[in-house]
């Protein structure tokens, strides 16, 4: 076995010549011959009019191929065992990963450079700029960020949304931009109106980029970005400023203004709302203001707004003594992700994926097979109970401890949904 | 040829038979004596035994044949064809005669003994379709001379394949016209030796040829067209040679008729043209007649099976030498065959990369998604490619596992199945059946009373490691079991060792009995039962016995039951060989597993079926026929538990209610149900909003715990409120089960509180049938009346399925129950139910213990992202189709499909589908299913 337990191994090659551009992920690289074969089988199939999509092996191993714009091929290899998810779940995860990796390559380098490869060596060098972002995507598994998977931007609901929204709008206006966003703990707290016109995947990638940029420790930066769908060939400027630790604001703008000029507006705009910011920061990973109560027996929840492509997710800190029978926080996040994939691959409509895209994934055909519309579903496992429901506007996924009787799950879920929507307007 | 290939044993058995004819008749029922009145005659199937001893012999029953015949006769009577009617009468007498003396009349058109699935032996008996004779009055273009000529159309069934395989001496002069069609035409020559005549006048008919048998082609007729293509002596050979495979062709003939008969009503006749074929697709497929045509109809759907060698000998670079076996050889598999290199490379490489054997891969062929499943054995690789729309990836492994298991059961190992060249035609047929069932299941049951099976339903039900079980009233069950046990003991008559003072030839290990595709008795261990049912499923024997009265079916072959082949040494001696004997009569099908070697004398060579054993099975079946009335009554009895039709819950039309009432008046049980739904009909309409629900007593319990947002319901409180729905009730089930099992008395363990219909339950799944207490009639009646699974006034259960993994059986509403609940939504709902069950079962399978898995011997993962799943439910919403009323929104109906798996005390799986109105606790339903039904 060549792959050690660890994250997914990611290979990037040029599609027509098969020159390896980079590999990320596992500490131990696959031998060159294996990389050649993985690429070779796909190329051979393409020559025969067959495109190879994915491959399962015993023990949960999985290989997924994808060619982007006929120029670059991305291959994700996961060794199994490490992640105990079934093939379908693993496949969706890897598919999303490849899309995101391609997206962030475009985000950083622009589509032109990736599609028309003139100098392979130079491209290899340029691609290094994406590595930190790609590594973040690869490691992302256990964090409380769902957007990479759902393509619905993670959000945080501030206690006083109107005030922050006004401030963001004011700041963006001062910076001659229509796209501004306040990011708290890597989640969207407030945006300008136009921000919602960005594609969901772009927002998710921008959030990831913000996270890598803020890791650098600088209080502000000016970074050129291409939007994978909105402007894949023309670079925009992403201006990022740190307001407080964990609180960042960013604007997307053209050649003007300069970073210094925007920074000068910063203090003027944001100093009046520092207290609000602190309140918002205090919301933390719960993502919901303390005024909004969630029943104690909900272990974790994720609410997706299907119109705005935003999501709120949280794992509740259980007030009582840590019970050994309850899954840990990290496990809750993982369960929530797996349950999301489980529900969307089998029953629910997956957000922001076109029907064409669904039919291309090897499991998309299953959802089409139902003659009636699935509305809700639940699972009872040995660790917890999961409940998912979908309405025209929302999707809600909940985890309960085993002690909650199965027959109340539905009413709790319905009440939780209506309560959340009524009290936050999400 | 049979006696040449048959073995010593067969000869001995015949000897015995001759000597002891009278005793046997006395010893067995009179049913047998009437059937086997001619013991000195060879059995009909004797000629069909293969060189290796295998036999597959299928003959339709008189009922089926007469049905076809009546159809034909009706045609004749109503069309005033005096000329042909006496011919028909002749056929009928022929038929009767054959049936009376039981002798073999070769070449009778209606005798369907073309069991040529394994071999294309010459047989002159060409099947003909119903002669759809048409008189067309066309005095126009073909009219000539003074006598009025008329055109008629005759349909004949031609099979060019038979031609090539046959040993019929080639007709040198007549060519295909004579060889294929059987029309003798002697061209006249003029003085210069040139062919003079252009017209194809029929100068004679070849006996037993299609032309002769159809009876409508007369000497003197002129063949003018084949399938609307004008023919003459110049082009007839070319036209006939274009017929690719077995097919029905329409011949147009010019005939001389008396003038008064020329006034046939054209339109009237034309309607009759479409005569349905007398034999269903299914039977034709089994006979192996029409595989070419069926295969052609799925040409556009990519599918393939290949057996590839992983050891490539580079020294001999022959083309395609790595392909050890491949099917089909048509366009459908071309592309997939082209990329076999991918499969080989992936199989070779991925094991090193990810540390696991390759299981499957997904490919995109143009727009079509194809899943490919792999099975590696030794140095060879079995690859099966199937379209994703037919087989979801979730279920590919199950399908593949079943095929492999069936093949192993038949041939011991994949290598021995694929590497023997002789097996190729059989495997072709095997995989033809396989793909037909998966890709176009509806085609097989076309035009028959059998319920149309949807793809998901077939997939799900066939994939279950269980056989469909029919619960019988105890007294009938007891008789059935006694009969089977008597047979299995084989200590009487010719089967006993004392009789001849010889070692017996076979030990009967056990048998199982199917009636109309339902298992009604099983005396076999589970694994053997599953092996046999897989075989029966694969060869469509079960649907066959459901939809068609089988005149006679005899299947014999050596098998390699997986459990026994791989079992640790112990009871079974390793040199024992196993044989499967399946005998079908009417709707009954009995499968017997025999062992040679061990206690019985060892088998030498490839023994064919022994007629003693076949006759004994037949005798058993004939005795069982006396019980057919009772079984049929059980089948037609209203479903227990009662089912509702989905359409009743949609207030779409008032006629529904009327229909319901009329239905109810005919059945007391239904009327009870209707009353229920009447009283709550209004309520049902308002149920969709959860708030407006009028709580049933049980509901109020649950609501009290969950109402009030900030209430933070303590779980202990809830447990106290509704004791029967706590999540840990699986444990409680165990204790209750035990108490029931030990006592066997009704209502023990305090279950009366929970179950309206406590029934006794026998803990031992096998051999206890005869011990079962007979319930009094009154009790039985009560049971039927209380067999309502859901609580509340309204019966909300739509469908259910309960599988007992230990016994390998499942129960579900019978086809008839389902068809009685006719409606437009209900079939959709059941299709949806099955599709959903595919998903639920996939979730369960991840947590099944390894030995409970049917197919796999390969290592499986231990966990799943969500951990072992115990229960899974999905809520669906349906709307009536074609809702035309623009003003009102379409009414909706919501229902649950819930699956639950119990591992303790016995692995069981439940799948239920019920209306949303009563929030059933599925656990409770499951309990009732398992206890309330007489499984």
């Amino acid at each position: 076995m060549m792959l050690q337990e660890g994250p997914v191994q990611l290979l990037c090659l040029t599609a027509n010549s098969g020159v390896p551009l980079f590999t990320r992920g596992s500490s131990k690289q696959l031998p060159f011959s294996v990389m050649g074969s993985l690429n070779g089988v796909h190329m051979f199939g393409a020559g025969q009019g067959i495109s190879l999509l994915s491959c399962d092996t015993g023990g949960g191993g999985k290989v997924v191929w994808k060619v982007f714009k006929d120029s670059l091929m991305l291959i994700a290899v996961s060794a199994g065992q490490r992640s105990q998810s079934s093939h379908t779940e693993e496949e969706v995860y890897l598919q999303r990963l490849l899309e995101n990796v391609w997206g962030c390559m475009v985000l950083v380098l622009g589509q032109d450079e990736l599609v028309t490869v003139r100098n392979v060596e130079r491209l290899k060098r340029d691609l290094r700029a994406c590595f930190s972002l790609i590594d973040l995507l690869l490691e992302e598994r256990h964090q409380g960020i769902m957007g990479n998977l759902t393509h619905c931007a993670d959000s945080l609901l501030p206690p006083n949304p109107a005030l922050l929204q006004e401030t963001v709008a004011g700041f963006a206006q001062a910076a001659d931009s229509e796209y501004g966003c306040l990011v708290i703990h890597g989640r969207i707290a407030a945006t300008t109106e136009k921000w919602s016109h960005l594609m969901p995947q772009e927002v998710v990638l921008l959030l990831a980029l913000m996270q890598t940029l803020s890791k650098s420790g600088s209080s502000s930066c000016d970074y050129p970005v291409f939007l994978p769908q909105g402007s894949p060939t023309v670079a925009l400027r992403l201006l990022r400023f740190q307001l407080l630790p964990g609180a960042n604001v960013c604007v997307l703008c053209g050649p003007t203004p300069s970073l210094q000029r925007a920074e000068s507006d910063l203090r003027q705009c944001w100093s009046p709302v520092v207290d609000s910011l602190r309140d918002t920061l205090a919301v933390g990973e719960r993502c919901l203001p303390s005024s909004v109560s969630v029943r104690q027996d909900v272990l974790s929840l994720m609410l997706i707004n299907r119109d705005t492509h935003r999501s709120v997710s949280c794992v509740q800190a259980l007030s009582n003594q840590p019970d050994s029978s309850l899954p840990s926080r990290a496990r809750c996040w993982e369960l929530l992700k797996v349950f999301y994939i489980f529900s969307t691959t089998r029953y629910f409509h997956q957000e922001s994926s076109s029907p064409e895209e669904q039919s291309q994934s090897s499991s998309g055909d299953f959802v089409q097979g139902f003659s009636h519309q699935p509305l809700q579903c639940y699972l009872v496992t040995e660790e917890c109970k999961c409940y998912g429901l979908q309405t025209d506007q929302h999707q809600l996924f909940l985890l309960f401890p085993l002690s909650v009787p199965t027959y109340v799950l539905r009413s709790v879920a319905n009440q939780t949904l209506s309560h959340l929507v009524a009290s936050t307007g999400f | 040829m049979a006696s040449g290939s048959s073995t010593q044993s067969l000869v001995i058995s015949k000897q015995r038979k001759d000597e002891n004819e009278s005793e046997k008749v006395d010893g067995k029922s009179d049913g047998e004596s009437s059937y086997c009145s001619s013991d000195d005659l060879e059995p009909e199937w004797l000629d069909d035994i293969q060189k290796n001893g295998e036999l597959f012999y299928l003959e339709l029953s008189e009922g089926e044949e007469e049905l076809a015949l009546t159809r034909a006769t009706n045609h004749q009577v109503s069309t005033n064809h005096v000329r042909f009617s006496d011919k028909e009468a002749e056929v009928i007498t022929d038929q009767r005669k054959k049936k009376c003396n039981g002798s073999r009349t070769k070449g009778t058109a209606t005798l369907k003994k073309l069991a040529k699935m394994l071999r294309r032996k010459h047989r002159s008996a060409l099947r003909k379709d119903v002669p759809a004779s048409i008189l067309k009055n066309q005095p126009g273009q073909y009219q000539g001379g003074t006598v009025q000529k008329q055109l008629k159309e005759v349909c004949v069934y031609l099979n060019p394949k038979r031609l090539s395989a046959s040993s019929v001496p080639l007709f040198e002069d007549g060519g295909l016209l004579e060889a294929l069609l059987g029309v003798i035409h002697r061209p006249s020559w003029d003085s210069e030796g040139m062919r003079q005549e252009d017209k194809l006048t029929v100068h004679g008919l070849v006996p037993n040829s299609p032309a002769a048998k159809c009876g409508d082609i007369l000497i003197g007729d002129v063949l003018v067209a084949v399938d609307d293509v004008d023919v003459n002596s110049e082009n007839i050979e070319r036209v006939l040679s274009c017929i690719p495979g077995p097919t029905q062709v329409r011949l147009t003939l010019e005939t001389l008729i008396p003038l008064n008969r020329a006034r046939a009503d054209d339109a009237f006749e034309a309607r009759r043209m479409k005569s349905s074929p007398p034999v269903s697709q299914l039977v034709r497929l089994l006979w192996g007649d029409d595989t070419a045509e069926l295969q052609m109809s799925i040409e556009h759907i990519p599918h393939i099976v290949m057996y590839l060698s992983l050891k490539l000998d580079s020294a001999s670079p022959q083309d395609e030498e790595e392909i050890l076996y491949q099917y089909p050889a048509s366009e459908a598999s071309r592309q997939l065959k082209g990329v076999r290199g991918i499969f080989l490379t992936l199989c070779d490489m991925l094991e090193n990369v990810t540390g696991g054997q390759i299981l499957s891969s997904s490919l995109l062929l143009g727009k079509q998604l194809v899943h490919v499943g792999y099975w590696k054995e030794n140095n060879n690789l079995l690859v099966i490619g199937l379209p994703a729309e037919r087989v979801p990836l979730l279920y590919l492994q199950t399908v593949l596992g079943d095929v492999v298991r069936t093949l192993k059961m038949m041939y011991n190992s994949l290598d021995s199945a694929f590497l023997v060249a002789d097996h190729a035609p059989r495997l072709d047929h095997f995989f033809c059946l396989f793909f037909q069932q998966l890709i176009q299941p509806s085609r097989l049951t076309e035009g028959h009373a059998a319920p149309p099976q949807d793809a998901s339903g077939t997939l799900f039900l066939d994939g279950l490691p269980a056989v469909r079980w029919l619960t019988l009233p105890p007294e009938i069950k007891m008789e059935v079991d006694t009969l089977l046990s008597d047979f299995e003991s084989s200590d009487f008559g010719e089967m006993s060792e004392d009789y001849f003072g010889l070692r017996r030839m076979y030990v009967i290990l056990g048998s199982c009995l199917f009636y109309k595709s339902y298992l009604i008795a099983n005396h076999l261990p589970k694994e053997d039962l599953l092996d046999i049912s897989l075989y029966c499923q694969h060869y469509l024997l079960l649907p066959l016995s459901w939809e068609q009265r089988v005149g006679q079916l005899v299947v014999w072959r050596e098998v390699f039951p997986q459990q026994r082949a791989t079992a640790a040494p112990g009871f079974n001696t390793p040199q024992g060989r196993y044989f499967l004997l399946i005998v079908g009569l009417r709707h009954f099908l009995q499968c017997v597993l025999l062992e040679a070697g061990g206690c019985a004398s060892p088998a030498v060579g490839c023994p064919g079926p022994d007629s003693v054993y076949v006759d004994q099975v037949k005798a058993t079946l004939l005795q069982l026929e006396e019980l057919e009335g009772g079984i049929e009554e059980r089948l037609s009895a209203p479903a227990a538990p009662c089912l509702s039709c989905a359409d009743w819950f949609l207030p779409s039309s008032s006629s529904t209610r009327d229909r319901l009432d009329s239905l109810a008046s005919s059945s007391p049980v239904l009327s009870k149900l209707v009353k229920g739904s009447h009283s709550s009909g209004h309520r049902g309409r308002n149920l969709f909003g959860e708030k407006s629900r009028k709580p049933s007593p049980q509901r109020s319990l649950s609501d009290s715990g969950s109402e009030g947002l900030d209430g933070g319901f303590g779980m202990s409180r809830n447990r106290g409120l509704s004791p029967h729905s706590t999540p840990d009730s699986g444990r409680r089930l165990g204790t209750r089960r035990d108490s029931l099992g030990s006592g066997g008395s009704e209502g023990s363990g305090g279950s009366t509180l929970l179950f309206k219909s406590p029934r006794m339950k026998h803990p031992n799944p096998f051999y206890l049938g005869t011990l079962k207490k007979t319930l009094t009639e009154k009790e039985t009646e009560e049971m039927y009346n209380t067999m309502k699974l859901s609580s509340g006034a309204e019966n909300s259960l739509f469908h259910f399925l309960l599988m007992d993994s230990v016994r390998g059986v499942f129960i579900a509403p019978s086809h008839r129950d389902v068809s009685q609940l006719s409606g437009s939504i209900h079939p959709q709902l059941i299709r949806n139910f099955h599709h959903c069950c595919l998903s639920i079962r996939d979730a369960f399978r991840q947590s099944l213990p390894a030995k409970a898995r049917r197919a796999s011997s390969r290592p499986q993962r231990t966990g799943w992202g969500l951990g072992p799943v115990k229960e899974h439910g999905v809520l669906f919403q349906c709307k009536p189709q074609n809702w035309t009323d623009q003003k009102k929104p379409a009414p909706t109906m919501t229902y649950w499909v819930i699956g639950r798996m119990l591992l303790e005390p016995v692995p069981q799986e439940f799948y239920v589908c019920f209306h949303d109105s009563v929030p059933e606790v599925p656990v409770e339903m499951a309990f009732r299913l398992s206890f309330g039904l007489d499984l």
Side-chain angles (χ1 to χ4, degrees), chain B residues 368-532:
Chain B
Q368 228 158 357
L369 185 62
V370 175
H371 296 312
V372 180
Y374 302 78
W375 193 282
K376 192 179 168 190
E377 191 171 288
N378 301 330
N379 280 313
N380 299 316
L381 180 71
L382 176 69
V383 176
I384 293 184
L386 286 164
E389 50 179 336
R390 313 292 161 154
V391 183
L393 191 55
L394 298 175
Y395 236 59
L396 182 68
Q397 285 305 310
T398 311
V399 170
L400 184 63
D402 282 353
V403 173
V404 171
R405 182 164 175 177
T406 315
L407 282 172
K408 281 186 172 174
M409 197 270 267
M410 292 167 68
Y411 297 103
N412 199 14
S413 68
L414 291 187
D415 277 354
S416 54
F418 288 107
L419 298 186
V420 180
D422 293 353
H423 290 171
R426 288 171 223 187
L427 289 171
D428 281 354
H429 187 261
F430 180 91
F431 284 109
C432 176
L433 286 168
F434 172 70
F435 287 123
Q436 289 294 332
Q437 286 183 73
L438 282 178
I439 293 174
Q440 46 179 17
S442 54
R443 186 73 193 269
L444 299 177
T445 49
E446 224 165 51
H448 265 273
Q453 276 289 7
D454 52 294
S456 299
T458 317
L459 260 188
F460 175 64
L461 296 178
D462 287 356
L464 283 176
V467 190
R468 194 177 199 128
W469 176 263
L470 181 71
T471 54
L472 289 179
E475 58 277 5
I476 296 182
K477 179 83 172 78
M478 189 190 69
E479 287 200 46
V480 169
D481 279 326
T482 315
L483 273 174
L484 279 196
S485 302
D486 284 350
F487 163 74
E488 282 156 8
S489 65
S490 61
D491 57 355
F492 55 87
E494 298 157 279
M495 297 217 308
S496 78
E497 290 187 335
D498 301 336
Y499 201 82
F500 299 107
L502 291 170
R503 256 173 115 180
R504 66 184 63 182
M505 292 161 66
Y506 304 106
V507 173
I508 299 177
L509 293 174
S511 61
C512 56
L513 183 68
F514 292 92
Y515 178 76
K516 283 196 175 175
S517 83
Y518 300 98
L519 182 70
I520 56 174
N522 172 38
H523 292 179
L524 280 167
K526 177 198 166 194
E527 292 303 316
D528 292 341
L529 173 68
L530 292 185
D531 275 335
I532 288 173

Side-chain angles (χ1 to χ4, degrees), chain B residues 15 71 115 136 317 351 371 394 399 443 454 481 564 587 638 655 683 718 758 802 816:
Chain B
Q15 246 173 347
R71 253 182 262 157
K136 267 193 191 165
E351 194 170 352
H371 296 312
L394 298 175
V399 170
R443 186 73 193 269
D454 52 294
D481 279 326
R564 297 175 189 275
H587 288 304
S655 61
R683 196 183 116 211
N718 262 291
L802 161 63
R816 195 167 299 171

Side-chain angles (χ1 to χ4, degrees), chain A residues 45-102:
Chain A
Q48 308 271 332
I50 286 180
S51 68
L52 187 58
L53 299 177
S54 65
C55 214
D56 296 324
T57 66
K62 186 106 195 171
V63 184
V64 174
W65 289 261
K66 196 150 189 165
V67 175
F68 291 90
K69 300 277 174 201
D70 288 330
S71 73
L72 292 190
M73 156 125 67
L74 288 174
I75 304 172
V77 185
S78 106
Q81 263 128 23
R82 163 194 45 79
S83 81
Q84 293 185 327
S85 50
S86 83
H87 291 300
T88 339
E89 280 75 37
E90 186 75 12
E91 169 162 352
V92 172
Y93 173 78
L94 293 180
Q95 292 273 10
R96 273 286 145 100
L97 178 72
L98 293 188
E99 285 165 30
N100 289 340
V101 167
W102 168 255

Side-chain angles (χ1 to χ4, degrees), chain B residues 290-304:
Chain B
D290 270 347
T291 55
E293 188 234 340
L294 280 168
Q295 192 56 45
M296 224 135 75
S297 63
I298 55 169
E299 190 100 304
H300 59 286
I301 298 171
H303 60 277
I304 196 171

